[in-house]
Amino acid sequence: MSHAILAEITASVSELKKNPMSTVASGDGAPVAILNRNTPAFYCVPAQAYERLMERLEDMELNAIADARKNQPVVEISIDGL
């Protein structure tokens, strides 16, 4: 059975156990696919890349909300009305 590997850099579980920080650094800021018997077991994602990913997901969710609301009527109020 073949599997898609969604990272340019791969490492084995054994390599990760031997030197975790070196394995993460080998991705040069990008995710590293960790393989178990030549099958992707998980992706090791550096904190900065994960934070960017989460920000992008949040932006996508907010855009979906904005798109869903774009045809709703506009209700104007004054600052005094708040």
Side-chain angles (χ1 to χ4, degrees):
M1 178 189 252
S2 61
H3 299 276
I5 297 176
L6 305 175
E8 292 184 20
I9 305 296
T10 62
S12 68
V13 172
S14 301
E15 290 174 293
L16 180 67
K17 286 180 184 179
K18 286 179 190 171
N19 195 341
M21 294 311 293
S22 176
T23 302
V24 173
S26 70
D28 198 28
V32 177
I34 306 300
L35 306 179
N36 184 27
R37 299 175 191 229
N38 292 326
T39 300
F42 61 93
Y43 292 89
C44 184
V45 181
Q48 194 173 31
Y50 184 78
E51 290 164 5
R52 284 193 314 266
L53 177 65
M54 295 308 293
E55 287 174 11
R56 189 163 183 186
L57 286 172
E58 183 180 6
D59 289 347
M60 290 172 66
E61 290 171 358
L62 291 173
N63 281 335
I65 291 169
D67 287 344
R69 294 179 180 175
K70 71 180 174 185
N71 293 326
Q72 290 182 352
V74 176
V75 178
E76 293 190 30
I77 59 168
S78 69
I79 193 75
D80 296 327
L82 294 175

